[in-house]
Amino acid sequence: MQIVRHSQQTLKRALISKNPVLVSQYEKLDAGEQRLMNEAFQPASDLFGPITLHSQSDWITSHPEAPQDFEQFFSDPYRKIPSPDKHSIYIQSIGSLGNTRIISEEYIKWLQGYCKAYFYGLRVKLLEPVPVSATKCSFRVNENTQNLQIHAGDILKFLKKKKPEDAFCIVGITMIDLYPRDSWNFVFGQASLTDGVGIFSFARYGSDFYSLRYEGKVKKLKKTSSSDYSIFDNYYIPEITSVLLLRSCKTLTHEIGHIFGLRHCQWLACLMQGSNHLEEADRRPLNLCPICLRKLQCAIGFSIVERYKALVQWIDDESAGTLGATPKHSPEDNGNLPKPVEAFKEWKEWIIKCLAVLQK
């Protein structure tokens, strides 16, 4: 294992900058917010630690890219900024997200609530779910994993046409695997930052995707024409678990972060780290490091205390807006479907520590 450590001076400059205007901006922040962000360059901090690399296949090793400090983010002429008339994140589900209509509807509401808290201050709106056929996308069966895949680029074109006038961005989510071009095996997601659109798949986040007993394999693609989408009528959807919800929240917020102009983080352990594989994605925390937190705060203008409180409330509010406990393959009856937040408990404890620093 390799630890990526930066000097205190490097981290301080990445966070605060040497530009007098940006230094002045930083000094005008609430004292508690400065105290929390200053943890970035405290070697003994138990809130923000260094990035750890576990293999040569990890992102930083295999995808060398220049780091982005706060000043570079702030000065980026191509960065998208929310405005009073473009202040909404839209979520478009493509195909079912759960094994019943109720589970599917509740799952997208959980993701909506999480995004509202994470991007605190922006509106997050849901578009009516659409079947795969509505996108008119190309599709195939993956030769290696034998599962259905839809073409990410085609979906982006569909989303661009559907983007509402007041949208800061529109993101598509699906439980169907994606591929960006014929020569690629798969992709977790794809986005166009200039168009403010993205598509992300949670298919490979199910606990059984890489197992021999995976039920989503298709023996042969029977397609009478390019407009025949009947194979998607009963495609396999993984069971909704707490880990699947956590992975989905991570991917969704990481990719929307890119649409805000945040590049892959190379400073500290952070949600905005790149990930090359599921094991690396699981090591990535849910939280932003102070440098990326300052970037997002600059873009949206939230109070860090209020944002953290909203995230704690989302975790605590296990049944808000839900209908409750529908077993995996049950009929669509009215039961209780509590939000599976067990995997978020450790993060909640971390947020409470941050709030203690902020509210000293």
Side-chain angles (χ1 to χ4, degrees), residues 98-107 240 326-328 337:
N99 287 291
T100 70
R101 180 183 57 78
I102 288 176
I103 295 174
S104 199
E105 288 174 356
E106 293 308 297
Y107 196 69
I240 303 301
T326 309
K328 183 179 174 185
L337 187 62

Side-chain angles (χ1 to χ4, degrees), residues 25-291:
Q25 268 187 24
Y26 189 79
E27 289 171 349
K28 288 175 185 172
L29 291 175
D30 172 88
E33 292 183 339
Q34 288 187 55
R35 191 161 51 241
L36 179 72
M37 290 194 188
N38 287 348
E39 288 278 323
F41 47 86
Q42 305 302 326
S45 174
D46 64 345
L47 295 176
F48 304 103
I51 295 171
T52 58
L53 303 178
H54 292 243
S55 75
Q56 287 299 309
S57 65
D58 281 4
W59 183 271
I60 288 179
T61 310
S62 56
H63 293 81
E65 53 189 325
Q68 180 198 49
D69 60 23
F70 178 77
E71 184 175 341
Q72 289 166 318
F73 167 83
F74 186 82
S75 307
D76 183 354
Y78 303 107
R79 179 166 63 88
K80 285 179 68 65
I81 303 170
S83 61
D85 58 336
K86 293 195 182 295
H87 208 69
S88 299
I89 295 170
Y90 280 87
I91 301 176
Q92 171 72 73
S93 61
I94 296 164
S96 293
L97 300 178
N99 287 291
T100 70
R101 180 183 57 78
I102 288 176
I103 295 174
S104 199
E105 288 174 356
E106 293 308 297
Y107 196 69
I108 195 167
K109 285 180 190 172
W110 297 335
L111 294 174
Q112 177 191 25
Y114 186 79
C115 279
K116 274 184 180 175
Y118 211 92
F119 302 102
Y120 189 77
L122 292 190
R123 292 184 289 269
V124 181
K125 300 177 181 179
L126 301 180
L127 293 170
E128 279 296 313
V130 297
V132 177
S133 58
T135 70
K136 296 183 169 57
C137 68
S138 301
F139 59 96
R140 71 179 188 186
V141 171
N142 183 296
E143 290 179 358
N144 301 311
T145 48
Q146 302 299 306
N147 63 301
L148 276 170
Q149 294 184 304
I150 53 180
H151 192 282
D154 290 349
I155 304 286
L156 291 180
K157 289 175 191 171
F158 167 77
L159 292 170
K160 187 179 175 182
K161 289 176 186 171
K162 280 202 71 176
K163 190 177 177 185
E165 281 295 313
D166 67 333
F168 168 71
C169 66
I170 175 172
V171 292
I173 57 173
T174 184
M175 284 291 184
I176 306 164
D177 206 23
L178 300 171
Y179 72 104
R181 56 179 70 101
D182 291 343
S183 59
W184 280 50
N185 184 27
F186 80 98
V187 68
F188 284 118
Q190 193 172 345
S192 167
L193 308 192
T194 50
D195 293 328
V197 297
I199 173 66
F200 319 114
S201 168
F202 307 141
R204 291 176 181 250
Y205 293 159
S207 57
D208 60 346
F209 186 88
Y210 294 99
S211 74
L212 293 172
R213 61 182 189 280
Y214 177 63
E215 295 175 35
K217 292 181 181 178
V218 178
K219 289 179 182 173
K220 194 174 180 182
L221 181 57
K222 296 174 184 175
K223 183 164 67 167
T224 54
S225 74
S226 60
S227 59
D228 178 12
Y229 292 89
S230 58
I231 194 165
F232 292 98
D233 291 347
N234 293 295
Y235 68 87
Y236 175 73
I237 301 170
E239 181 183 5
I240 303 301
T241 64
S242 185
V243 170
L244 178 60
L245 179 60
L246 181 140
R247 287 169 171 169
S248 301
C249 288
K250 257 190 202 181
T251 295
L252 193 55
T253 48
H254 173 98
E255 298 298 345
I256 293 173
H258 281 320
I259 296 174
F260 276 96
L262 279 75
R263 291 191 219 145
H264 284 129
C265 183
Q266 299 183 54
W267 304 112
L268 295 160
C270 176
L271 174 87
M272 293 309 299
Q273 282 172 243
S275 62
N276 235 8
H277 44 81
L278 189 57
E279 182 189 338
E280 187 177 18
D282 282 344
R283 288 199 304 268
R284 185 172 64 189
L286 284 156
N287 59 278
L288 295 168
C289 75
I291 297 158

Side-chain angles (χ1 to χ4, degrees), residues 15 26 29-38 48 117-118 120 288-298 300-312 350-351 354-359:
L15 172 66
Y26 189 79
L29 291 175
D30 172 88
E33 292 183 339
Q34 288 187 55
R35 191 161 51 241
L36 179 72
M37 290 194 188
N38 287 348
F48 304 103
Y118 211 92
Y120 189 77
L288 295 168
C289 75
I291 297 158
C292 292
L293 180 61
R294 187 183 179 195
K295 293 174 188 177
L296 191 64
Q297 185 192 38
C298 168
I300 300 177
F302 51 67
S303 152
I304 296 175
V305 166
E306 295 309 313
R307 176 178 177 269
Y308 279 158
K309 284 180 178 176
L311 285 164
V312 170
W350 179 89
I351 296 173
C354 289
L355 284 168
V357 172
L358 285 158
Q359 297 175 308

